[in-house]
Amino acid sequence: METGIAAGPPRPRPHRYRPAAALGVLAGLVVGTALLVRLPAGSPWSRGMQGFALLAIMFVLYGCGAWLVGSLKRSWATALTLGGAAALQVAALTAPARYSDDLYRYVWDGRVQAHGIDPYRYVPVASRLAGLRTPDLFPATAGNGHCVTSGPDITAGCTLLNRPLVHTIYPPVAQAYFWAVHWSGTRGVQVCAAVAAVLVTAVLIRGLPRLGADPRQAVLWAWCPLVAIEAGNNGHVDVVAMLLTAAALVVLGTGRSVTASRAAAGGALLGLAIATKMTPALLLPSAVRRRPLPLLASLSGVVLAVYVPHLVAVGGGASGFLSGYLNEEGYDSGRRFAVLDLVMPQAWAVPAALVVLVATAVLLWWFADAARPWRGAVVMTGVTLLVAAPAYEWYAELLVLLVAFSGRAAVPWLAVALAGYAGQLGVGPGGSYGVAALFVGGAWLVRRRMAAGAGRAPVMAGLADGSLPARAEQAGTGPVSAGQANAELVSTAPVSTAPVDVILPCLDEAQALPFVLGRMP
């Protein structure tokens, strides 16, 4: 029996050839990923516009695959999503890390901790750590590494670790992860990151239905080329933070109301994610709208608890290379804000960036859908990436995860994730991030016009961004209950001509059902 939903047109029936088409696209993505990670360093396709064009083709293929999986039955979609996630990670594992050398630092930090030394105490080439050097991280010749000369408390030598003269930048939970996996070497770090990426897919498939979302959205994370390259190949610790973030969102977004205990549990998971990589902190403006006190108390307590042992051991040195990194990347001087630098003097970039980010955070805290914090978080993350214009594309893993939570409406933000590869491949990041910003803005305008043309703009647009109650209050009509919102949604939506066997109210069944039943023939 077909089931229609009165609030919109029914989903088209899956075409019998679409599973085969999805498999074909997946095969293309697997082959493309294997080629991307195995490109010779001197190949014209490994850097510059050609390399960026190759990645853009991969993203287009990925978009087609996500659309095909989204039109399949759930059983097919689940199998293809999980199988595709594993296949892409295996393809990424077929070569050593291609676009980053951060995993060498992961192994080193874990080794230092295994010998009972706080990772924030010494730089990698410190004389105190000379006995821990091995040829896999400290080769006899430079090769692709870095060589240093002797100095105060420094022993000369060559190493594959980047920035060998500075302290580590990674937070305490990341350090615990490094300690746990360092024994497996760089190859083991890649495998662990690949497994974490597949686990994120499993969390999405199980968690999205609990949030009232379509589990087929998980393919937006599972099949993304960025996830395959940055997890299975580059082995970035960001994917561990994404696993914790996904779990936190499932906990915080389940149910119409959040109890204090659930908010505390979600805050603890989010705190662990932030103490793994700082980027999940971008969820806070949207996440703190419901039960802010238990959430923030739990989050702060977790972050403080994991930092205390390092603060006791090294004091202020536990902050690591964070301030030095911001200075090295040019964020303190304003030269790193590539998009802002295109439209204003460099001296204005820092205050302008602060104004944009603070204004975005305040607006999201005020207007965002408190029950669906990922919707506001995807905007906060996308705007931050556009403003900061980082040259390291793995920061966009958070954006891809939030797009998977948010679904089709957030897909245009993936252009920002692709733009991150511009700086990594030697293409001007200002232009690529600028084009991504125009694309996102254009997609938003098109969506608004389409909604208005379908006669759904007043209600559907409000429900989409969670701002309907606030707008109603501003209009002087007072708060809008969930039942009234449902009633207005059903009464203003275009009438579907498909047979309707079941009507599913969107927000509050208890208040909306009498109205809906009264309208049924």
Side-chain angles (χ1 to χ4, degrees):
M1 178 181 293
E2 294 293 327
T3 299
I5 299 178
R11 179 184 291 272
R13 294 183 179 181
H15 197 282
R16 61 178 179 174
Y17 297 119
R18 284 183 181 173
L23 278 172
V25 171
L26 175 60
L29 284 170
V30 170
V31 172
T33 300
L35 290 175
L36 281 172
V37 300
R38 299 176 70 87
L39 285 173
S43 167
W45 290 98
S46 62
R47 289 190 65 79
M49 285 302 300
Q50 289 175 302
F52 188 72
L54 185 57
L55 277 163
I57 293 171
M58 287 286 292
F59 266 76
V60 171
L61 198 61
Y62 150 66
C64 295
W67 178 81
L68 286 167
V69 171
S71 66
L72 299 178
K73 292 181 179 179
R74 287 194 178 185
S75 56
W76 268 104
T78 299
L80 281 173
T81 299
L82 271 176
L88 286 167
Q89 295 300 326
V90 169
L93 284 168
T94 58
R98 177 68 183 81
Y99 298 99
S100 173
D101 54 7
D102 285 356
L103 73 173
Y104 298 116
R105 173 75 79 153
Y106 300 171
V107 174
W108 176 254
D109 282 0
R111 182 182 300 175
V112 169
Q113 294 175 83
H115 285 79
I117 303 171
D118 193 280
Y120 301 104
R121 184 177 294 279
Y122 301 107
V123 300
V125 291
S127 299
R128 173 67 176 78
L129 304 179
L132 303 182
R133 299 183 182 185
T134 53
D136 60 328
L137 299 181
F138 290 82
T141 58
N144 295 326
H146 314 271
C147 292
V148 297
T149 57
S150 298
D153 300 321
I154 299 297
T155 299
C158 298
T159 179
L160 296 178
L161 279 68
N162 58 45
R163 301 180 179 90
L165 291 170
V166 304
H167 294 80
T168 186
I169 193 175
Y170 299 102
V173 175
Q175 294 294 342
Y177 168 73
F178 300 157
W179 171 82
V181 302
H182 80 279
W183 58 270
S184 61
T186 56
R187 200 67 172 158
V189 172
Q190 289 178 286
V191 172
C192 291
V195 171
V198 177
L199 288 176
V200 173
T201 303
V203 170
L204 287 168
I205 291 174
R206 292 297 302 273
L208 285 173
R210 299 179 62 184
L211 305 177
D214 192 335
R216 286 168 284 203
Q217 295 171 196
V219 72
L220 292 168
W221 164 270
W223 286 21
C224 184
L226 182 147
V227 174
I229 294 171
E230 304 311 326
N233 187 250
N234 289 334
H236 278 292
V237 70
D238 301 62
V239 72
V240 179
M242 296 308 102
L243 181 58
L244 293 165
T245 302
L249 287 173
V250 171
V251 171
L252 293 172
T254 302
R256 283 194 298 272
S257 61
V258 174
T259 62
S261 59
R262 185 179 291 277
L269 288 167
L270 190 55
L272 290 172
I274 294 172
T276 305
K277 196 75 182 230
M278 294 296 292
T279 50
L282 295 172
L283 274 70
L284 287 177
S286 302
V288 298
R289 292 199 63 197
R290 295 204 298 178
R291 298 281 187 174
L293 292 181
L295 189 151
L296 290 176
S298 176
L299 185 152
S300 302
V302 166
V303 173
L304 181 62
V306 298
Y307 264 104
V308 162
H310 301 288
L311 290 171
V312 171
V314 299
S319 62
F321 184 57
L322 180 59
S323 60
Y325 175 81
L326 296 175
N327 177 63
E328 179 184 282
E329 291 296 313
Y331 287 114
D332 58 343
S333 65
R335 62 180 172 83
R336 193 68 191 85
F337 300 100
V339 178
L340 295 177
D341 289 342
L342 293 175
V343 297
M344 64 179 61
Q346 191 177 99
W348 297 2
V350 174
L354 290 174
V355 168
V356 171
L357 295 179
V358 171
T360 303
V362 171
L363 289 171
L364 289 173
W365 175 79
W366 189 261
F367 290 108
D369 186 349
R372 300 170 181 83
W374 48 88
R375 292 185 176 181
V378 74
V379 176
M380 187 74 233
T381 304
V383 170
T384 301
L385 291 174
L386 289 173
V387 170
Y392 307 116
E393 66 284 350
W394 48 88
Y395 292 149
E397 283 188 50
L398 177 62
L399 182 64
V400 177
L401 176 67
L402 294 171
V403 168
F405 270 96
S406 302
R408 182 172 52 188
V411 166
W413 285 105
L414 291 172
V416 181
L418 174 61
Y421 279 102
Q424 189 74 10
L425 297 176
V427 183
S432 61
Y433 278 111
V435 171
L438 293 174
F439 180 81
V440 173
W444 179 80
L445 288 174
V446 169
R447 188 174 181 85
R448 292 283 294 183
R449 287 183 176 275
M450 290 177 64
R456 294 177 291 172
V459 177
M460 294 295 283
L463 290 176
D465 60 14
S467 59
L468 180 60
R471 290 180 180 178
E473 289 178 357
Q474 293 168 4
T477 59
V480 177
S481 69
Q484 290 172 324
N486 279 322
E488 189 175 358
L489 172 62
V490 174
S491 62
T492 59
V495 178
S496 173
T497 58
V500 176
D501 300 309
V502 178
I503 298 178
L504 301 178
C506 300
L507 300 176
D508 190 330
E509 294 85 346
Q511 296 185 43
L513 197 55
F515 174 88
V516 175
L517 290 175
R519 301 292 175 150
M520 291 180 66

